[in-house]
Amino acid sequence: MTKSILQSSRVAFALLALAFAGRTTARAQIAFPSWNDGPAKRAILDFVRVTTDKANAKYVKPEERIATFDLDGTLWVEHPMYTQVVYCLERVPVVAAQRPELKNVEPYKTVLSGNREAIAKLSMDDLEKIVGGTISGMTTDEFTAEVKKWLATAKHPLWNRPYTELIYQPMLEVIQYLRANSYKTYIVTGSGQDFVRAFAEQVYGIPPEQVVGSTGETKYTYGKDNRPVLIKQPKLLLNDNYTGKPEGIHLMIGRRPHAAFGNTAGDREMLEYTQAGDGARLMVLVLHDDAEREYAYGPAEGLPDSKVGAFSQSLFDEATKDGWTVIRMKKDWKRIFAFDR
Amino acid sequence: MTKSILQSSRVAFALLALAFAGRTTARAQIAFPSWNDGPAKRAILDFVRVTTDKANAKYVKPEERIATFDLDGTLWVEHPMYTQVVYCLERVPVVAAQRPELKNVEPYKTVLSGNREAIAKLSMDDLEKIVGGTISGMTTDEFTAEVKKWLATAKHPLWNRPYTELIYQPMLEVIQYLRANSYKTYIVTGSGQDFVRAFAEQVYGIPPEQVVGSTGETKYTYGKDNRPVLIKQPKLLLNDNYTGKPEGIHLMIGRRPHAAFGNTAGDREMLEYTQAGDGARLMVLVLHDDAEREYAYGPAEGLPDSKVGAFSQSLFDEATKDGWTVIRMKKDWKRIFAFDR
C-alpha cells in the first residue's frame, strides 16, 4: 500500500467515524422519545455508549452484554395488586369447583366470600399460598393457553384496559435501545416464569428462554393418546426474589448482568450482584412518585408505605451511596403509557 | 406491471430459486466434510431444508428453531468414564485435605486408596455422591477457574490428548450447520451445568445461557471485602437425565425443541418430548459401534453392555418404531476427531 492511499484511507476512516458518531447521537434522541432529559436518561445512554465503543476502556464484548429487568413495577403497573395474583384470585372459583374441599379452607374461603375488604387484607403469605394452589395440576401447554385467554379479556380496575397495555413506554424504549446495541434482554421476576412467558415475547419482544421467574417443578408423564406432557407441580423450585434473583440469574443465564433494573427491595441483591462485576455496570431503580399519572408509593423519600412493591428508605440510601441511578417517574418520564398523549 | 415484465420477473425468480437451490446443496456438501453419504446425513439435511424453506408446509419460524444436544457420548467421548466424574475423582484428595473426616468414609476411602480396580467397580450412586461432595463449597467463579485449569492439563488415558480435543467433528459440523440456519443450539446434559459452561462456548460456540445440565443450588452471600458471591451448595436442584431432560428444557428454555440429539436411555424422554410437537421434528441417536476408531458399546444390536452411556435394545426398538435417526459412527462418520486424517 502506498503512503498516499494509506493517508486517504485514514481520512476516509475519520470521516466514517464522525458519521457514525453523529448517527449514534441522533439515534439516541430518536430512541428515547418518552423521556425527559435528566440524569437517569443520561446514565443509560452513557452506559450504552461506553460499553459498545471498541475504543473505550469499558467496552463489553457483545456476547457478554446481558441486561436484566424486574417486571412488576419496573416494566408494568403492579398496583393495586401484582397481575399474576389477580389472575390467581380469579382462578380460585374454578379450582374450588374441581376440589370442593378447599371451599372451607383459608385463604380460599375468604377469596370465595367475595368480600373485597377481607380479600384486600390477605397477607403476602396467603396470596403466595393461592398462587401455588391455583397454577399447578395442569399441563404447561394448558396453563399457557389459560393465561393468554385471561389476558385477552381481563382489565385493570383503574384504567379499564388490558394489563398488557399498562406497560411503561419509557422502559420499552430502554429495552429496545439495549437490544439494538446487541444487549440480550432478560426479565428476572418474582412473578411466575410460565405466567410471564405467556406474553413477554409479544409485549416486550423477550422470548421464553429469556424469562427467569419464580417457578415450580414440572413432572414429565404421558397424557391423552400416550402423548408426553409436563404437568405443573405445586412444589417451588426457585423463589426468584431477593437473593433468589442472582441465584436465578446464575441458574438460567450463567453470566453476570452488565445492567440491571428494578424497583423494590426484592431487586436489591440483583443490583448488588451486577455491580460486583468488573468494568462498566449500570444499576437502576424506578421510584413511583407520580400519584397523578400512575401511583405514588415508597416508603422511601416520604412517599406512602406499600404492601405491594415497597421501595424502602434503606434501599434508597444504598442506591445513593453506591451510585445507582434512580428514575423518578414524575420528572423523568414524558409519558408513561403508549396511550398517553 | 405489464405482462412481459411480469413474465421476465417470473423467469428471474425461477433462475434465482435454482441458483439458491444449487447453493444450498453446495453449502450442505461443504458443511458436512466429515460425514459419509447415508440416511443419517440425509435426514439431518432434509430436516434443515424443509424447516427453513418458507414455501414448505413444515417451515419453522426462526425464533422457534431450538435444537438440543446431549453432551457425553453425543458431542464428545464418554468412555472409559464421563469427563466430569474423572474431574471429581481427581479432586477427592484436595477435598479430603480440607475435610479430613472424609478419609475414612466410603466412597472417598476407596478413591483415596488409589486402587484402580476398586475405583472402577464403584457404582453410579457412589460416583454421584463424589460429584455432589467435590463440587460444592466454593464460589461459582472459583469453580469455573478450577475447571478451566484442570481442562488445560488433564489428558484422556487412551489418546493422551486434552478432553476438549476429543469432540466429535461430525457433530460439531451439525451444530454449526444448524446455527448457520438460525437454529439456537443448546447442550442438555446429565453432567454438571457449571462444569460444562466452563468450556462449551470455546469448544462448541455454545454460550453459558444455552447449557442446561444437572445443577445444585447456589447461595447468595457476601465474601471478601463484602463482595457479593454465589456459593455452590451440595443440594441438587435439577437431575438433568431421563424425565429431568424435558423438565430441564421447560425450565431453562420454555420451548419444545424441533431437533434433539442423544445416545442413551437418559435421552429417551427428551426425544419423545421433541417428537410430540407439531410439524417437522428431528430425533437422532448416536450408536457407538466403532471399536477401532473410538469405542463399541450398546447393549443394542449385540454390542457389548456398558455401565457408562448404555444404549439399550429397547431404546433402539423405540427409535425404529418412531422413525428416529440412528447415526452409526462406523459407517456414517468419515472421521471422528478433528485430528484424524
Side-chain angles (χ1 to χ4, degrees):
Chain A
M1 205 185 277
T2 69
K3 205 179 167 192
S4 70
I5 294 177
L6 190 68
Q7 280 173 334
S8 71
S9 71
R10 264 191 199 148
V11 171
F13 265 111
L15 285 172
L16 206 66
L18 255 172
F20 269 106
R23 194 183 300 169
T24 305
T25 313
R27 197 175 61 189
Q29 279 162 358
I30 294 163
F32 284 76
S34 303
W35 287 75
N36 291 316
D37 281 323
K41 175 178 163 182
R42 274 200 304 276
I44 299 168
L45 287 176
D46 281 352
F47 168 79
V48 175
R49 187 177 47 75
V50 300
T51 59
T52 56
D53 172 6
K54 275 197 176 170
N56 196 298
K58 293 184 172 172
Y59 175 73
V60 175
K61 284 184 285 183
E63 62 269 29
E64 298 280 349
R65 293 183 197 160
I66 303 286
T68 55
F69 293 84
D70 167 58
L71 176 68
D72 298 302
T74 300
L75 296 184
W76 74 353
V77 173
E78 65 185 348
H79 270 212
M81 182 43 72
Y82 306 115
T83 309
Q84 192 200 2
V85 173
V86 177
Y87 170 74
C88 291
L89 287 169
E90 293 191 10
R91 263 193 64 85
V92 167
V94 181
V95 174
Q98 291 160 352
R99 296 170 52 200
E101 72 275 16
L102 292 179
K103 287 181 185 170
N104 294 312
V105 179
E106 289 297 357
Y108 299 97
K109 196 176 163 185
T110 297
V111 177
L112 290 165
S113 75
N115 180 337
R116 279 166 178 257
E117 267 181 54
I119 294 170
K121 277 185 196 149
L122 289 173
S123 69
M124 272 298 150
D125 273 359
D126 285 334
L127 294 173
E128 275 179 24
K129 210 174 283 176
I130 289 164
V131 170
T134 50
I135 62 174
S136 61
M138 70 289 280
T139 71
T140 49
D141 289 346
E142 285 164 357
F143 176 75
T144 303
E146 283 274 352
V147 172
K148 285 186 177 176
K149 204 171 117 190
W150 183 79
L151 284 172
T153 56
K155 288 191 175 155
H156 188 282
L158 186 58
W159 286 274
N160 198 33
R161 286 177 179 270
Y163 290 93
T164 49
E165 287 185 17
L166 299 175
I167 65 171
Y168 304 136
Q169 183 63 22
M171 293 305 291
L172 187 61
E173 292 167 9
V174 172
I175 289 178
Q176 289 167 341
Y177 188 68
L178 283 169
R179 213 146 51 208
N181 283 280
S182 301
Y183 274 85
K184 221 171 186 175
T185 53
Y186 283 81
I187 290 175
V188 177
T189 174
S191 278
Q193 185 165 286
D194 286 344
F195 182 80
V196 177
R197 279 171 168 171
F199 62 88
E201 191 157 34
Q202 197 195 330
V203 172
Y204 299 108
I206 294 180
E209 62 270 28
Q210 287 165 224
V211 174
V212 180
S214 296
T215 184
E217 289 185 356
T218 60
K219 191 178 154 52
Y220 180 87
T221 184
Y222 303 91
K224 271 182 234 155
D225 311 323
N226 214 27
R227 191 171 176 269
V229 289
L230 292 168
I231 307 287
K232 286 175 75 66
Q233 305 294 304
K235 194 183 161 195
L236 194 70
L237 197 65
L238 174 69
N239 182 355
D240 198 49
N241 264 313
Y242 302 97
T243 59
K245 289 212 172 186
E247 291 161 8
I249 287 169
H250 180 73
L251 173 67
M252 303 274 294
I253 311 177
R255 302 193 204 254
R256 194 188 297 265
H258 273 268
F261 299 77
N263 78 306
T264 72
D267 301 312
R268 183 197 303 260
E269 288 83 357
M270 173 168 75
L271 270 63
E272 289 175 346
Y273 181 66
T274 298
Q275 186 163 35
D278 299 329
R281 308 278 163 171
L282 178 70
M283 288 65 59
V284 183
L285 288 167
V286 177
L287 185 68
H288 294 255
D289 61 353
D290 195 334
E292 208 162 298
R293 295 187 300 172
E294 202 237 10
Y295 291 97
Y297 52 97
E301 298 292 275
L303 292 162
D305 199 358
S306 169
K307 155 166 109 170
V308 173
F311 188 142
S312 65
Q313 188 60 42
S314 85
L315 180 64
F316 193 92
D317 294 343
E318 185 168 346
T320 307
K321 186 174 74 64
D322 290 343
W324 300 353
T325 296
V326 175
I327 296 168
R328 291 165 184 273
M329 293 177 75
K330 201 169 175 175
K331 249 199 206 162
D332 286 318
W333 289 355
K334 203 173 280 175
R335 58 175 185 172
I336 293 185
F337 305 111
F339 55 80
D340 286 343
R341 13 2 42 241
Chain B
M1 204 188 279
T2 70
K3 204 179 169 191
S4 69
I5 293 177
L6 190 68
Q7 280 172 333
S8 70
S9 70
R10 264 191 198 149
V11 171
F13 265 110
L15 285 172
L16 206 65
L18 254 173
F20 269 106
R23 193 182 301 170
T24 305
T25 312
R27 198 176 58 188
Q29 277 161 359
I30 294 164
F32 283 76
S34 303
W35 287 75
N36 292 316
D37 280 324
K41 175 179 163 180
R42 274 201 303 277
I44 299 168
L45 288 175
D46 281 353
F47 168 79
V48 175
R49 188 177 47 75
V50 301
T51 58
T52 57
D53 173 5
K54 274 196 176 171
N56 196 297
K58 292 183 172 174
Y59 176 73
V60 175
K61 283 184 285 183
E63 63 269 27
E64 297 279 349
R65 294 183 197 161
I66 303 285
T68 56
F69 293 84
D70 168 56
L71 175 69
D72 298 302
T74 300
L75 296 184
W76 74 353
V77 173
E78 65 184 347
H79 269 212
M81 182 45 72
Y82 306 114
T83 308
Q84 193 201 1
V85 173
V86 177
Y87 170 75
C88 291
L89 287 170
E90 294 193 8
R91 262 193 64 84
V92 168
V94 181
V95 174
Q98 292 161 352
R99 295 170 54 200
E101 72 275 15
L102 291 179
K103 287 181 184 170
N104 294 312
V105 178
E106 288 296 357
Y108 298 98
K109 196 176 162 184
T110 297
V111 177
L112 290 166
S113 75
N115 181 335
R116 279 166 178 258
E117 268 182 52
I119 294 170
K121 276 184 195 152
L122 289 173
S123 70
M124 272 298 150
D125 272 0
D126 285 334
L127 294 173
E128 275 179 24
K129 210 174 282 175
I130 290 164
V131 170
T134 52
I135 62 174
S136 60
M138 70 288 282
T139 71
T140 49
D141 289 347
E142 285 164 356
F143 176 76
T144 303
E146 284 274 352
V147 173
K148 285 187 176 176
K149 205 171 114 190
W150 183 80
L151 284 172
T153 57
K155 287 187 175 159
H156 189 281
L158 186 57
W159 286 275
N160 197 33
R161 285 177 179 272
Y163 290 93
T164 48
E165 287 184 17
L166 299 176
I167 65 172
Y168 304 136
Q169 184 60 24
M171 293 305 291
L172 188 61
E173 291 166 10
V174 172
I175 289 177
Q176 289 168 342
Y177 188 69
L178 283 169
R179 214 146 50 206
N181 283 281
S182 301
Y183 273 87
K184 221 173 188 173
T185 53
Y186 283 81
I187 289 175
V188 178
T189 174
S191 279
Q193 185 165 287
D194 286 343
F195 182 80
V196 177
R197 281 171 168 172
F199 61 88
E201 189 157 33
Q202 197 194 330
V203 172
Y204 299 108
I206 294 180
E209 61 269 28
Q210 284 162 229
V211 174
V212 181
S214 295
T215 186
E217 290 186 356
T218 59
K219 190 175 155 54
Y220 179 88
T221 183
Y222 303 91
K224 273 181 233 157
D225 311 323
N226 215 26
R227 191 171 175 268
V229 289
L230 293 168
I231 307 287
K232 287 177 73 67
Q233 305 294 305
K235 195 182 161 196
L236 195 70
L237 197 67
L238 174 69
N239 183 354
D240 198 49
N241 265 312
Y242 302 96
T243 58
K245 289 213 173 187
E247 291 161 8
I249 287 169
H250 180 73
L251 173 66
M252 303 273 295
I253 312 177
R255 304 193 201 255
R256 194 187 297 263
H258 273 268
F261 300 76
N263 78 306
T264 72
D267 301 311
R268 184 197 303 261
E269 288 84 357
M270 174 169 76
L271 271 62
E272 289 175 347
Y273 181 65
T274 299
Q275 186 163 36
D278 300 329
R281 307 278 163 170
L282 177 70
M283 287 65 59
V284 183
L285 288 167
V286 177
L287 185 69
H288 294 255
D289 61 353
D290 195 335
E292 209 163 299
R293 295 188 299 172
E294 202 237 11
Y295 292 97
Y297 52 96
E301 300 292 276
L303 292 163
D305 199 356
S306 168
K307 155 167 109 171
V308 174
F311 189 142
S312 65
Q313 188 60 43
S314 87
L315 180 64
F316 193 92
D317 295 343
E318 184 168 346
T320 307
K321 186 174 72 63
D322 291 343
W324 300 353
T325 296
V326 176
I327 296 169
R328 292 165 184 272
M329 292 176 75
K330 201 170 174 173
K331 247 200 209 161
D332 286 317
W333 290 354
K334 202 173 282 176
R335 59 176 184 168
I336 293 186
F337 305 112
F339 55 80
D340 287 342
R341 16 358 46 238

